[in-house]
Amino acid sequence: MADSVLAPAPVALPTAGGSPPRPLAAFWYAFRENRGAVVALGIVVAIVLLAALADFVAPFPPAEQHREAVRVAPFWAEGGSTRFLLGTDDLGRDILSRVIYGARISLFIGLSVMLISVACGIVLGLIAAFRGGIADTIIMRLMDLITAVPGLVMAILIVAVLGPNLFNTIMAVTIVYLPRYVRLVRASTLGELNKEYVTAARVVGVGTLRLMFVTVLPNCLAPLIVQGALGVSDAILEAAALGFLGLGAQPPTPEWGAMVGDGREFIRSNPWIVTTPGLAILVTVVSINLLGDGLRDALDPKLRRS
Amino acid sequence: MFKFLLKRLALTLPTFLALMLLTFLAIRLVPGDPVEVRMGERGIDPVRAEEMRHLLGLDQPIWKQFVDYVWGILHGDFGTSLVTSEKVLTEFAALFPATIELSFFAILFAMVLGIPAGILAAVKRGTVYDHALMGAALTGYSMPIFWWGLLLIMFMSEYLGLTPISGRTDLIRFSVEPITGFMLVDTLIAGDKGAFWDALRHLILPAIVLGTIPLAVIARITRSSMLEVLSEDYVRTARAKGLSPFRVVGLHALRNALIPVVTVIGLQVGTALAGAVLTETIFSWPGVGKWLIESIARRDYPALQGGILLISSIVVLMNLLIDVMYGAINPRIRHGR
């Protein structure tokens, strides 16, 4: 962020004997300049751990209904108990447990959307840049078409056609976010293709596939990683919006957006049913975005937000 | 300039054709027979079903159906709702002003707060103000707006009782003839001051909710654009001349810094229309977003098809308009292509 620009350039890297620092060490040195990003990294790691260890950490299974304890308040509020730390919902399900299991679903959605769309984006972007001509036109016009429809509206159309469930949510959000990766890969590949090392590789007789994935691609990775990190949080938000509208993960899946949507009618009487899962979305998305900003500052100085 | 305009217009034509193909194919992919959907659960006798099929053109080859679909759209026929038997275009046109009104005030709210916030953060770069404003912007940018809307309802409407919970106006107390469809304009035409204030009060929360993400985006882009401009030579010259900081920032820097901001604001129109789906659902705002979601629930596929095509076309046209405007402000763009 701002102070990282004002800070002295990392001249005195902690290396001995003048040898260049290992890439990871150099990356970490640049990354920790941004304190917000380091904190965010900590939060993201904590959320990932909670998601991974949900079976051990969560007090109850996410769908278990306690019929004798419906809409119990959180422990600090009147009528709350320490048995259900964050209270229960209208079906007597422990909200803390559902939020913890929900981390699993949201992270799964975010990561799978990012991985699939980055993978497809790399392939399509490389084809568009290398082949040019008709292939380029078809791919890019298709991407223009996807961008022409507002993101959520496109996702709604896809889910309405395919039917609402977790898998189709991932499909829909992947399609919505595909164009940005395709464009990014295509643009940075086109930039690389004019450089001498590519010409040299061609002269030596390197095959197209090797040229694409081994010679050129690694040089386009930095902006892609940054965009990918920010893409995870966008995907989580988009999927949560679909869940809220009832077009995403279906009950009793403890998806955060769906939890907010299902609890809507209790916003007056039992607000904690709505506030907790929404707060989980916000904290996760803010942390991933901060982390993405930090990655950008560290990996890609050209893109640095001044 | 005219040539540039024609070129840009020609470039969008394939997009429109592709949009029509997309919506046409998407609805064909929906499982279930449209005739059966229309006839309900009980089923009908086969002769009648065949008649319906013929009436809907479903017995034609698929390419012919598409040509008919495009032909219909070119003549303003976006299909007929299965539920209300009303023309989709008629329904859309009746609801769209509500969405425009909401989106307009959302973007206005975002601009009025976002641009000064971005300028302040840039001028006070690295200070507490900068960090606080950019922290707030990051939070706004990451906000699940459907949840934000519910929080605001809970706090502002339920707890403080400041604003109404939902709808565009208090239907029991005020009835205003819909002339333009814009509630604020209609109440003014009717000369009903009470109704006008009531409509404005209904507009506040939805506009804030819908404007939150655009606000964050505008603040961020204004800040970075302003920082870039502030380091330019002519700003230094202006400072060296001894102009007041207010004049330097407000006059010399701001004018140039606003060019990228204008583009971003234009791009936010698409975001606002998509966000309207959520905002209208939360606030029971009778616009096209809520109508779209209800169409899905009612399996009213022609409405969904026509609605999505119309919304997307409007976004494409808006982007075209911004592009052309941008070309008009900035000659480098126009001649660069």
Side-chain angles (χ1 to χ4, degrees), chain A:
Chain A
M1 295 235 287
D3 45 2
S4 57
V5 178
L6 297 173
V11 197
L13 283 173
T15 51
S19 67
R22 281 169 300 132
L24 217 61
F27 165 73
W28 177 247
Y29 189 84
F31 181 78
R32 68 172 187 200
E33 289 280 302
N34 187 335
R35 265 169 295 156
V38 175
V39 174
L41 178 67
I43 298 175
V44 171
V45 168
I47 296 171
V48 170
L49 282 179
L50 274 181
L53 303 174
D55 290 332
F56 307 102
V57 184
F60 300 97
E64 188 178 285
Q65 302 181 5
H66 306 267
R67 288 302 168 98
E68 76 291 350
V70 171
R71 283 182 269 147
V72 172
F75 74 92
W76 63 83
E78 208 182 307
S81 77
T82 46
R83 183 165 169 232
F84 305 106
L85 284 178
L86 298 178
T88 61
D89 66 9
D90 53 316
L91 294 175
R93 295 175 295 196
D94 181 45
I95 290 178
L96 176 63
S97 306
R98 287 179 72 72
V99 168
I100 292 175
Y101 276 96
R104 209 177 246 190
I105 291 167
S106 284
L107 288 181
F108 175 70
I109 293 174
L111 286 176
S112 20
V113 167
M114 189 269 281
L115 288 176
I116 301 171
S117 46
V118 165
C120 296
I122 287 176
V123 173
L124 290 175
L126 284 176
I127 291 175
F130 269 83
R131 285 264 160 256
I134 295 182
D136 186 22
T137 312
I138 293 177
I139 292 174
M140 294 327 285
R141 285 313 112 190
L142 213 57
M143 294 306 124
D144 285 350
L145 173 66
I146 298 174
T147 353
V149 188
L152 189 60
V153 176
M154 186 64 159
I156 287 171
L157 176 70
I158 296 169
V159 171
V161 171
L162 299 177
N165 60 47
L166 193 61
F167 178 76
N168 290 343
T169 300
I170 293 174
M171 284 271 295
V173 182
T174 301
I175 293 176
V176 168
Y177 286 122
L178 190 56
R180 54 163 89 165
Y181 300 106
V182 176
R183 290 198 180 121
L184 190 62
V185 172
R186 177 177 176 272
S188 36
T189 305
L190 284 179
E192 295 295 318
L193 277 183
N194 294 327
K195 292 193 177 159
E196 279 170 8
Y197 77 92
V198 179
T199 318
R202 276 205 170 121
V203 170
V204 176
V206 174
T208 311
L209 274 182
R210 196 186 155 80
L211 201 64
M212 278 179 175
F213 288 98
V214 183
T215 314
V216 172
L217 184 61
N219 293 301
C220 308
L221 275 185
L224 199 61
I225 292 173
V226 173
Q227 192 67 68
L230 296 171
V232 173
S233 57
D234 286 340
I236 290 177
L237 265 187
E238 197 87 38
L242 282 176
F244 173 80
L245 291 170
L247 297 171
Q250 295 299 304
T253 316
E255 199 272 321
W256 290 337
M259 286 169 76
V260 175
D262 293 342
R264 255 181 83 185
E265 50 186 306
F266 303 104
I267 186 82
R268 278 166 231 187
S269 50
N270 316 93
W272 60 87
I273 300 177
V274 175
T275 46
T276 322
L279 198 62
I281 302 174
L282 181 63
V283 170
T284 309
V285 174
V286 167
S287 308
I288 297 176
N289 277 339
L290 259 179
L291 186 62
D293 280 355
L295 281 179
R296 177 184 49 200
D297 291 355
L299 285 177
D300 198 359
K302 276 176 293 182
L303 283 177
R304 184 176 288 195
R305 187 155 54 86
S306 38

Side-chain angles (χ1 to χ4, degrees), chain B residues 112-133:
Chain B
V112 166
L113 285 187
I115 294 175
I119 296 171
L120 186 66
V123 174
K124 305 252 176 199
R125 172 184 177 172
T127 64
V128 183
Y129 296 101
D130 185 18
H131 290 308
L133 283 171

Side-chain angles (χ1 to χ4, degrees), chain B residues 83-143:
Chain B
V83 177
T84 59
S85 298
E86 191 88 51
K87 286 277 175 213
V88 171
L89 190 63
T90 318
E91 287 202 349
F92 188 90
L95 297 169
F96 196 50
T99 303
I100 298 180
E101 198 170 31
L102 175 59
S103 308
F104 175 80
F105 279 93
I107 300 280
L108 191 72
F109 162 77
M111 278 166 60
V112 166
L113 285 187
I115 294 175
I119 296 171
L120 186 66
V123 174
K124 305 252 176 199
R125 172 184 177 172
T127 64
V128 183
Y129 296 101
D130 185 18
H131 290 308
L133 283 171
M134 286 304 109
L138 181 74
T139 313
Y141 185 71
S142 313
M143 188 62 84

